[in-house]
């Protein structure tokens, strides 16, 4: 019987119910995936808790907060676990319901199959019923297929859910175990935290109450820095250990370990080694550099101070590794074997060579990549700054020659590197042939010693490289050639002013005698004063002064400079045991009301004489009052000789006129100029850019010479009279001078004379800025490469500090002084902190600090050996000259004098010169101006004239003399060019 419509409808509803069940199961599947994701999230948070709990040394407050969070999270996990259990029960119930639904669907499927069999066996009578039956069968078959497919899918999903459920069950059990472990760890965390805090507190307390000078038997870098700071502060090496212990004990810290004097000396030397490595690195990295130097003597030994000016990197900025900061680095003070320029340049080379050698051996130098060579450093040398003495200028000229040779060598080596082996062999073979030919051929070459051959071969190689370098230099562009040849000398601005004052004062002091005007009162010293008084008495009586009296008069000086020098010796002597010093300052403060120290003319400070002239002029009554105070407090009630001279000078109008000129020059020229160059120095301005300033000084001098009223007229103001147009440095001094001008004799003439002499001297001392000179034609780039400071104060100050320190700490060696000064002045500590990143860097310093001991003894030994060698050479030369002189005397004694005029007129060569010497020995009166360099004809005629004088009885040709008698030979000490010292510049 075919199914009716009700049955089909019922079957459709069952199919839709089955589809709804399927959708519900799919939703449950999604819920299971969400459950898995949340479980994974829970596991990640559990891992975070484990990581947090591992930090046992965390602060107490942080641990407590984390503990609370962990406990709260555990409670959340418990709640989530209960939720997951409930969801598991629901899923299990749904699965059971799905199984039952599947069973019912299967029974219905069987019923439908039976109905299909019945329908097949039944006969369809009506067409419409057959079509309906066919449709019903199709629908049933389709539903049957869908149900079969759905049942298969659900079976596979049920199996998957079973496996997934088992896995989640295992993970849930693992999570329970971890939760239990975390709960136990949380309970133990409080105790662990307390133990960690106690241990950390104890360790900190022990650390804060103890300071270890050493670590693993080696003094720490912090300890070494403390030692260097204490030495810099003036602490003796003997008390370093005691000072460190005392300071730390005051802070409640116990010092562990001791440090000896030997270690202190080694630490100081390590600072010197580090400073040398720093200099090598900075010279390697810079594109150009300039030198400056100055010299002095201390305890009969010559010393030279040296500095280098260059661009370096800023060690306080770790990002910057390129040279950007303009600095002046101290190269140290070095004792010199003598005062010659050759020795000074040799010391320059030795100083640079030591830097190169130490840098190349250091681990930092090897690690930095690329060693440096001495020749490469001299190629970078672009100029030198010094004072204006001839010796320093000669030093600069010799350094320029070394720079040129370095350029040729560097270029020549580059050319050789580009050539093939065959070309190099050809060049050297040709040079060797020329060398052997110059030596006299192969035969004479073989007769030379191996050392002589080696010397000539070395010279040959040097010549070949230099020739190649010269050719290579000519092939470069004009710009490159100018850059490589760049070497500029510039003089110190302070010395320009000093020498200009000296030149102006010399001209002014000569004005008195030139115009036959009575000048300043004579200020003879204590020894010459009685002799000069005797000469004056002799002149009043109409007698002729003796040679001794004339010499004493000539040696005695006068004028403003001498007076200022005397005043400096009385009020502020360089020797603390001489002069009045504190007594004068205390008296001045009590009676004048201002603190005042007299200008340091006793030490020849820059501008000290102009300063002294100003104060002596402004406070003349007060100085006279103090001299009276000194005289009245003496038992004798008399001045000593120096005080009497100062008393006379302060009452002498010509001397006061010179004071006024000096004071006005200082206010109008000297002070503004010194202010300008020192301001430029502070702002690191290049001295090569100050040409306009120096020319403006000269123009201002000429303006005052052409119109003195600008300076001393009734309408004069600082806007027109001062070099910079700014307010006078000492307005009271200018006012005082202008008030005194009517009472000062010849003041205007003296002022013009002083300015004329200053202008003439100024032109000589700014010759480097002359139009068309090196500085004038240098480009901006070249001036930047040859940057130099405006003054030589660095070297002047270094030498002054050295002499002062040697007086305060005579036990301090020159090496120790250089080490401390270079370390702190060159900012070596910052360099070490930035560049010494490896342990081997400090180990190298420690090693070299031990090895470098004894360098000072070697230097002293070299100096004495050099002097011994000079002594031996001079003694040998003297003996040789004495021997020749004696041989000549014996020859003259054995040679008869020729009185025949005809024979005399025929003499020539050695015979003529010998006869000239014989005539002089016999005492011929007309041969005083005749010597061996005189023309032959004049010598012959002079000898003939001498015979005529002998005939007249003015001398005799029959005098007997002993060959041992030196009375007719050259008198006095023989002149020797080797004994002449280099001319040194004298400071006023």
């Amino acid at each position: 019987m075919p199914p009716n419509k009700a049955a089909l409808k019922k079957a459709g509803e069952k199919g839709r119910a089955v589809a709804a069940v399927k959708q519900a199961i799919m939703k449950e599947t999604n819920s299971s995936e969400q459950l898995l994701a949340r479980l994974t999230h829970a596991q990640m948070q559990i891992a975070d808790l484990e990581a947090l709990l591992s930090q046992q040394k965390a602060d107490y407050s942080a641990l407590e907060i984390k503990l609370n969070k962990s406990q709260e999270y555990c409670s959340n996990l418990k709640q989530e676990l209960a939720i997951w259990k409930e969801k598991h029960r629901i899923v299990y119930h749904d699965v059971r319901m799905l199984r039952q639904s599947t069973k019912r669907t299967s029974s219905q499927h069987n019923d439908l199959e039976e109905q299909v069999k019945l329908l097949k066996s039944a006969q369809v009578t009506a067409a419409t019923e057959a079509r309906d039956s066919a449709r019903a069968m199709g629908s049933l078959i389709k539903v049957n297929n869908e149900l079969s497919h759905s049942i298969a899918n659900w079976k596979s999903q049920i199996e998957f859910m079973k496996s997934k459920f088992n896995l989640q069950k295992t993970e849930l059990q693992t999570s329970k175990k971890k939760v239990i472990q975390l709960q136990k760890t949380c309970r133990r965390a409080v105790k662990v935290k307390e133990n960690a805090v106690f241990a950390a507190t104890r360790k900190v307390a022990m650390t804060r109450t103890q300071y270890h000078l050493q670590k693993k038997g080696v003094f720490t870098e912090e300890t070494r820095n403390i030692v260097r700071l204490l030495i810099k502060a003036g602490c003796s090496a003997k008390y370093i250990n005691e000072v460190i212990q005392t300071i730390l004990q005051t802070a409640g810290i116990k010092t562990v370990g001791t440090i000896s004097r030997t270690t202190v000396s080694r630490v100081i030397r390590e600072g010197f080694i580090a400073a040398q490595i720093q200099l090598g690195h900075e010279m390697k990295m810079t594109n150009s550099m300039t030198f400056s130097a100055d010299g002095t003597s201390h305890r009969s030994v010559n010393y030279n101070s040296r500095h280098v000016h260059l661009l370096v990197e800023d060690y306080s900025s770790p990002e910057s590794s390129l040279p950007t900061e303009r600095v002046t680095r101290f190269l140290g003070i070095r004792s010199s074997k003598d005062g010659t320029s050759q020795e000074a340049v040799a010391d320059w080379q030795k100083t640079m060579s030591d830097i190169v050698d130490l840098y190349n051996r250091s681990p930092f130098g090897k690690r930095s990549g690329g060693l440096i060579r001495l020749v490469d450093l001299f190629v970078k040398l672009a100029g030198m700054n010094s004072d204006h003495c001839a010796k320093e200028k000669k030093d600069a000229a010799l350094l320029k020659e070394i720079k040129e040779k370095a350029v040729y060598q560097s270029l020549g080596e580059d050319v050789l590197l580009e050539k093939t082996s065959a070309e190099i062999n050809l060049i050297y073979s040709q040079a060797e042939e020329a060398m052997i030919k110059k030596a006299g051929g192969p035969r004479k070459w073989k007769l030379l010693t191996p050392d002589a051959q080696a010397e000539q071969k070395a010279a040959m190689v040097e010549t070949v490289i230099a020739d190649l370098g010269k050719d290579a230099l000519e092939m470069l562009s004009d710009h490159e050639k100018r850059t490589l040849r760049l070497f500029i000398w510039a003089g110190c601005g302070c010395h320009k002013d000093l020498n200009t004052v000296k030149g102006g004062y010399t001209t002014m002091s000569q004005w008195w005698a030139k115009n036959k005007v009575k000048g300043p009162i004579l200020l003879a010293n204590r020894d010459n004063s009685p002799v000069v008084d005797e000469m004056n008495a002799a002149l009043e009586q109409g007698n002729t002064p003796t040679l001794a009296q004339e010499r004493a008069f000539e040696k005695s000086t006068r004028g403003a400079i001498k007076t200022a020098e005397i005043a400096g010796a009385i009020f502020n002597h360089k020797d603390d045991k001489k002069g009045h010093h504190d007594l004068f300052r205390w008296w001045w403060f009590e009676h004048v009301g201002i603190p005042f120290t007299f200008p340091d003319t006793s030490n020849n400070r820059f501008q000290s004489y102009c300063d002294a002239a100003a104060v002596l002029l402004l406070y003349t009554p007060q100085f006279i009052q103090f001299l009276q105070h000194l005289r009245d407090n003496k038992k004798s009630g008399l001045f000593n000789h120096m005080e009497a001279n100062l008393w006379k000078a302060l009452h002498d109008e010509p001397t006061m006129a010179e004071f006024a000129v000096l004071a006005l020059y200082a206010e109008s020229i000297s002070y503004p100029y010194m202010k300008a160059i020192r301001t430029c120095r502070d702002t690191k301005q290049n001295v090569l850019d100050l040409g306009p300033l120096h020319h403006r000084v000269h123009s201002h001098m000429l303006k005052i010479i052409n119109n003195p009223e600008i300076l001393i007229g009734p309408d004069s103001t600082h806007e027109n009279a001062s070099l910079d147009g700014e307010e006078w440095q000492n307005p009271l001094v200018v006012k005082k001078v202008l008030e005194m001008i009517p009472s000062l004799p010849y003041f205007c003439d003296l002022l013009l004379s002083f300015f004329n002499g200053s202008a003439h001297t100024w032109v000589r001392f700014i010759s480097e800025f002359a139009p068309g000179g090196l500085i004038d034609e240098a480009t901006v780039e070249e001036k930047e490469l040859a940057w130099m400071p405006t003054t030589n104060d660095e070297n002047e100050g270094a030498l002054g500090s050295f002499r002062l320190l040697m007086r305060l700490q005579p036990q301090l060696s020159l090496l120790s002084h250089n080490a401390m000064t270079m370390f702190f002045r060159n900012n070596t500590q910052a360099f070490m902190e930035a560049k010494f990143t490896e342990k081997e860097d400090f180990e190298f310093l420690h090693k070299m600090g031990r090895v470098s001991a004894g360098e000072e003894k070697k230097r002293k030994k070299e100096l004495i050996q050099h002097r011994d060698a000079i002594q031996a050479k001079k003694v040998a030369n003297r003996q040789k000259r004495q021997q020749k002189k004696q041989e000549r005397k014996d020859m003259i004694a054995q040679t008869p004098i020729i009185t025949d005029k005809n024979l005399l007129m025929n003499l020539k060569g050695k015979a003529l010169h010998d006869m000239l010497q014989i005539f002089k020995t016999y005492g011929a009166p007309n041969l005083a101006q005749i010597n061996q360099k005189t023309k032959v004809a004049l010598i012959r005629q002079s000898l003939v004239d001498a015979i005529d004088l002998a005939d007249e009885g003015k001398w005799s040709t029959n005098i007997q003399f002993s060959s041992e008698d030196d009375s007719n030979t050259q008198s006095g000490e023989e002149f020797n060019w080797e004994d002449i010292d280099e001319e040194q510049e004298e400071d006023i």
Side-chain angles (χ1 to χ4, degrees):
M1 180 179 179
N4 55 19
K5 294 182 179 180
L8 291 173
K9 184 177 181 181
K10 185 177 180 181
E13 290 176 355
K14 287 183 179 180
R16 285 191 293 273
V18 171
V21 171
K22 181 179 177 181
Q23 291 178 356
I25 292 174
M26 292 295 294
K27 290 181 179 179
E28 291 296 331
T29 302
N30 293 334
S31 299
S32 299
E33 291 177 354
Q34 292 178 0
L35 176 63
L36 180 62
R38 296 187 65 182
L39 184 60
T40 304
H41 180 66
Q43 291 174 346
M44 293 174 61
Q45 290 192 349
I46 290 171
D48 293 339
L49 287 173
E50 289 177 343
L52 290 173
L53 289 174
S54 65
Q55 299 179 356
Q56 297 180 0
K57 293 183 179 182
D59 295 331
Y60 178 82
S61 59
L63 285 173
E64 188 174 11
I65 293 172
K66 291 179 181 179
L67 178 60
N68 295 332
K69 288 184 178 180
S70 299
Q71 293 174 348
E72 182 180 355
Y73 191 76
C74 288
S75 62
N76 293 336
L77 286 176
K78 289 180 180 180
Q79 294 176 2
E80 290 180 359
L81 182 61
I83 294 172
W84 282 113
K85 287 180 179 181
E86 179 64 21
K87 288 185 178 182
H88 176 266
R89 188 185 63 78
I90 295 173
V91 170
Y92 181 76
H93 178 266
D94 292 339
V95 170
R96 289 186 61 189
M97 294 299 294
L98 181 62
R99 286 178 181 175
Q100 294 176 2
S101 175
T102 303
K103 287 180 180 181
R104 288 193 299 270
T105 305
S106 179
S107 63
Q108 290 177 0
H109 177 70
N110 294 331
D111 294 338
L112 287 174
E113 284 182 349
E114 291 176 358
Q115 290 178 3
V116 170
K117 289 177 181 181
L118 291 174
L119 288 173
K120 286 181 179 180
S121 62
Q123 295 179 355
V124 180
T125 57
T128 55
E129 290 180 357
R131 286 194 298 272
D132 293 339
S133 297
R135 281 192 207 95
M137 287 297 294
S139 299
L140 289 172
I141 292 170
K142 183 177 180 181
V143 170
N144 182 40
N145 292 335
E146 289 178 355
L147 288 174
S148 299
H149 181 69
S150 176
I151 290 169
N153 288 337
W154 279 110
K155 285 182 179 180
S156 63
Q157 289 183 7
I158 288 170
E159 294 297 328
F160 174 75
M161 290 299 295
K162 284 182 179 179
S163 62
K164 196 170 184 180
F165 177 78
N166 293 332
L167 179 63
Q168 290 178 351
K169 185 177 181 181
T170 303
E171 291 179 351
L172 185 60
Q173 291 175 353
T174 305
S175 299
K176 287 181 179 180
K177 291 180 181 180
K178 289 185 177 180
V179 168
I180 294 171
Q181 291 177 355
L182 287 172
Q183 289 174 347
K184 293 179 179 179
T185 304
C186 290
R187 287 193 294 269
R188 292 195 301 267
V190 177
K191 186 64 177 177
V192 171
K193 179 191 65 177
E194 292 177 353
N195 293 337
V197 170
F198 177 76
T201 305
R202 184 178 179 183
K203 185 177 180 180
V204 170
M206 291 293 293
T207 305
R208 289 180 178 177
T209 56
Q210 288 185 352
Y211 178 78
H212 293 265
L213 297 178
Q214 294 176 314
K215 184 177 181 180
K216 296 183 179 180
V218 180
F219 287 98
T220 64
E221 293 304 316
E222 292 78 8
T223 302
R224 297 171 188 270
N225 291 337
I226 292 173
V227 169
R228 284 189 281 263
L229 283 171
L230 290 175
I231 290 295
K232 179 188 177 184
C235 181
S236 173
K238 180 179 179 181
Y239 299 104
I240 289 290
N241 191 70
E242 183 178 346
V243 170
I244 293 176
Q245 290 181 350
T246 302
I247 294 174
L248 293 178
Q249 185 177 0
T250 304
I253 301 174
K254 180 182 178 181
T255 305
V256 179
T258 59
I259 185 167
S260 64
R261 295 180 63 180
T262 304
T263 303
V264 171
S265 300
R266 189 166 64 247
V267 169
I268 294 174
R269 291 195 297 271
E270 290 171 6
F272 176 76
I273 302 300
Q276 295 282 83
I277 296 174
Q278 176 192 6
L279 288 169
H281 172 71
E282 292 175 346
M283 291 180 182
K284 174 185 174 182
M285 299 303 295
T286 191
N287 293 327
S288 67
M289 58 185 176
T290 56
F291 290 161
S292 64
D294 197 15
T296 189
S297 62
H298 180 69
R299 295 181 178 271
S300 192
V301 178
N302 293 313
Y303 291 93
N304 290 300
S305 169
R306 295 179 174 89
H307 284 80
V308 60
H309 316 285
L310 69 173
L311 278 173
V312 303
E313 61 182 281
D314 185 5
Y315 299 119
S316 62
S317 176
E319 295 82 9
S320 174
S321 60
L322 297 176
T324 57
E325 183 182 10
R326 179 71 66 183
V327 298
T328 296
R329 296 301 193 205
F330 183 47
L331 297 180
I333 295 175
R334 192 181 184 95
S335 58
S336 180
K337 296 177 182 177
D338 54 42
T340 62
S341 293
Q342 289 75 12
E343 185 61 30
V345 173
D347 287 342
W348 269 112
Q349 291 177 307
K350 182 67 169 61
T351 300
M352 301 295 291
S353 178
D354 291 344
I355 293 173
V356 169
D357 178 65
L358 199 57
Y359 176 81
N360 289 337
R361 285 192 290 148
S362 68
F364 170 71
K366 296 175 182 178
R367 192 171 64 248
S368 299
L371 303 180
I372 57 176
R373 301 185 306 159
L374 182 62
V375 64
D376 295 330
L377 296 187
F378 276 108
V379 169
K380 297 180 180 182
L381 182 61
M384 184 173 182
N385 181 28
S386 67
D387 57 28
H388 294 75
C389 70
K391 187 257 181 188
E392 296 294 345
K393 290 183 178 180
K394 186 175 181 181
D395 291 354
L398 293 177
L399 285 174
K400 182 179 181 181
E401 293 178 3
I402 294 175
K403 188 253 177 73
E404 291 176 352
K405 292 179 180 178
V407 170
Y408 295 150
Q409 180 180 344
S410 179
L411 294 176
E413 290 172 350
D414 293 340
V415 172
L416 280 180
L417 291 176
E418 296 175 356
K419 292 185 178 295
T420 63
S421 299
E423 292 174 336
I424 295 175
N425 292 333
L426 178 62
I427 292 173
Y428 278 115
S429 61
Q430 293 175 350
E432 189 172 358
E433 289 177 3
M435 174 187 66
I436 295 174
K437 183 177 180 181
K438 185 177 180 182
R443 199 161 150 192
K444 289 188 177 181
W445 173 257
K446 293 180 180 179
L447 296 176
L448 296 176
T449 63
D451 292 340
Q453 290 182 356
E455 289 180 2
Q456 292 201 25
K457 286 183 179 179
M460 180 267 294
V461 171
E462 184 178 344
T463 303
V464 168
I465 294 176
D467 292 340
L468 291 174
K470 292 177 182 178
D471 296 338
L473 182 64
E474 294 302 323
M475 298 296 292
L476 299 176
S477 64
D478 292 340
H479 174 72
E480 291 174 327
K481 285 190 284 188
R482 281 180 60 89
T483 302
L484 288 175
R485 289 172 173 168
L486 180 65
F487 188 94
I488 300 175
W489 175 86
C492 169
C494 293
H495 284 83
K496 295 182 190 296
D497 179 74
L498 180 148
N499 287 282
T500 302
V501 173
K502 181 179 179 180
Y505 182 78
T506 301
T507 305
M508 181 178 67
S509 61
Q510 294 171 353
W511 181 89
W512 302 98
K514 186 182 296 185
N515 290 274
K516 298 181 181 180
V517 177
K518 183 181 178 181
I521 190 170
L522 189 67
L523 303 175
N525 60 31
R526 183 172 53 188
D527 296 328
N528 288 337
S529 183
V531 183
V532 173
D533 292 339
E534 292 175 0
M535 185 191 73
N536 293 331
L539 290 174
E540 291 177 358
Q541 296 174 3
N543 298 328
T544 302
T546 64
L547 292 177
Q549 292 172 348
E550 290 180 351
R551 183 178 181 279
F553 180 80
E554 292 173 356
K555 292 293 182 181
S556 300
T557 54
R558 65 183 79 203
I561 298 297
K562 179 64 176 179
T563 304
E565 181 181 350
I566 293 173
I570 294 175
F571 305 131
N572 189 17
H573 201 283
K574 61 183 178 181
D575 187 348
D576 293 340
K577 298 187 69 174
K578 298 179 180 179
H580 297 290
H581 295 285
D582 288 346
L583 174 63
F584 169 73
R585 291 192 296 108
W586 297 345
W587 182 93
W588 193 273
F589 184 76
E590 182 66 25
H591 291 79
V592 183
I594 56 175
F596 172 67
T597 299
F598 195 82
D600 200 4
T601 58
S602 183
N603 274 315
N604 293 336
R605 299 294 184 193
F606 291 124
Q607 296 183 316
S608 58
Y609 286 94
C610 290
D611 295 340
V615 296
L616 288 171
L617 194 70
L618 184 61
Y619 297 106
T620 304
Q622 287 81 357
F623 282 107
I624 292 175
Q625 185 180 354
F626 179 72
L627 291 176
Q628 291 174 336
H629 170 78
L630 293 178
R631 181 189 62 188
D632 295 341
N633 276 277
K634 293 181 180 180
K635 185 176 181 179
S636 63
L638 300 174
F639 291 125
N640 63 28
H641 187 79
M642 189 175 290
E643 293 165 352
N645 274 343
L646 180 58
W647 177 275
K648 291 187 294 183
L650 292 178
H651 290 82
D652 182 59
E653 289 186 352
T655 302
M656 302 304 287
E658 290 189 353
F659 277 152
V661 172
L662 282 171
L664 275 187
Y665 178 83
E667 291 291 338
S668 60
I669 302 293
S670 188
Y671 292 155
Y673 171 72
M674 294 292 282
K675 177 183 177 182
I677 62 172
R678 291 193 183 278
T679 302
C680 293
R681 184 198 64 181
D682 295 339
T683 57
K684 296 185 179 181
Q685 188 172 347
N686 194 349
V687 67
L688 305 182
D689 295 328
L690 298 185
L693 171 64
H694 291 92
H695 292 306
R696 191 169 78 248
V697 172
H698 185 245
S699 300
H700 193 69
M701 291 180 182
L702 296 179
K703 184 172 71 172
I704 293 177
I705 292 172
N706 294 329
N707 185 14
E709 294 297 315
I710 295 175
L711 183 60
I712 61 176
D715 299 327
S716 65
T717 60
H718 59 81
E719 287 89 350
N720 296 325
S722 177
L723 174 65
D724 56 6
E726 297 182 4
E727 183 63 50
W728 301 113
Q729 180 167 320
N730 300 296
L732 294 178
V733 173
V734 177
K735 181 181 178 181
K736 179 75 172 181
V737 171
L738 295 179
E739 292 174 352
M740 292 178 62
I741 287 176
S743 62
L744 297 176
Y746 313 106
F747 178 80
C748 187
D749 294 330
L750 292 173
L751 182 70
L752 290 176
S753 177
F754 189 98
F755 270 84
N756 275 307
S758 298
H760 178 72
T761 307
W762 183 260
V763 172
R764 289 193 294 111
F765 279 90
I766 62 168
S767 57
E768 64 265 36
F769 295 102
L774 285 176
I775 298 178
D776 183 59
E777 294 186 347
T779 63
V780 175
E781 178 186 0
E782 290 171 346
K783 289 181 179 180
E784 185 64 21
L785 290 174
W787 186 96
M788 285 176 280
T790 57
T791 68
N792 200 25
D793 289 354
E794 287 84 2
N795 290 294
E796 296 277 355
L799 291 172
S801 300
F802 164 71
R803 295 187 63 185
L804 179 62
L805 188 61
M806 288 298 103
R807 287 200 296 267
L808 297 176
Q809 295 179 303
Q811 81 285 352
L812 192 66
S813 66
L814 181 60
L815 177 60
S816 298
H817 170 268
N818 286 337
M820 297 305 302
T821 307
M822 291 172 66
F823 186 87
F824 289 101
R825 188 172 295 181
N826 293 353
N827 198 20
T828 303
Q829 183 62 45
F831 167 79
M832 293 173 62
E833 292 174 355
K835 299 298 181 181
F836 283 10
T837 57
E838 303 295 333
K839 184 179 179 181
E840 60 181 357
D841 296 328
F842 297 100
E843 291 176 348
F844 179 76
L845 294 183
H846 303 164
K847 177 183 176 181
M848 294 305 300
R850 291 188 293 269
V851 173
S852 61
E855 290 295 327
E856 188 66 16
K857 291 182 179 179
K858 294 178 184 177
R859 185 65 179 171
K860 293 176 181 177
K861 185 177 180 180
E862 291 175 358
L863 191 147
I864 296 302
Q865 289 177 346
H866 176 76
R867 293 186 64 86
D868 290 343
I870 292 178
Q871 178 187 3
K873 182 178 179 181
K874 289 188 175 182
V875 169
N877 290 337
R878 290 193 188 101
Q879 291 176 350
K880 188 176 181 180
R881 290 195 299 270
Q882 290 293 338
Q883 183 179 356
K884 288 183 178 180
K885 187 186 297 184
Q886 188 61 41
E887 291 175 355
R888 191 170 185 82
K889 288 180 180 178
D890 294 342
M891 183 273 296
I892 292 174
Q894 296 172 5
T895 303
I897 188 169
I898 298 176
T899 57
D900 189 338
K901 297 181 181 180
N902 293 327
L903 292 177
L904 289 175
M905 294 301 293
N906 292 324
L907 290 177
K908 59 183 179 180
K910 185 174 183 299
L912 178 63
H913 292 152
D914 290 344
M915 191 54 58
L916 173 64
Q917 189 62 40
I918 292 173
F919 269 64
K920 285 186 175 183
T921 304
Y922 275 80
N926 65 322
L927 302 179
Q929 304 297 326
I930 306 299
N931 54 45
Q932 294 184 357
K933 294 183 180 181
T934 306
K935 292 183 179 180
V936 172
L938 183 58
I939 294 176
R940 290 170 178 167
Q941 186 59 45
S942 299
L943 293 178
V944 172
D945 295 340
I947 295 298
D948 293 336
L949 294 175
D951 294 340
E952 295 175 3
K954 294 185 178 180
W955 69 288
S956 175
T957 60
N958 297 320
I959 298 177
Q960 299 293 328
F961 62 92
S962 172
S963 62
E964 300 296 328
D965 186 12
D966 292 336
S967 60
N968 292 328
T969 61
Q970 294 178 352
S971 61
E973 191 173 7
E974 188 172 358
F975 192 80
N976 184 11
W977 284 102
E978 295 178 355
D979 295 332
I980 299 179
D981 294 330
E982 292 286 336
E983 181 183 357
Q984 299 291 333
E985 178 183 343
E986 296 181 357
D987 294 343
I988 295 180

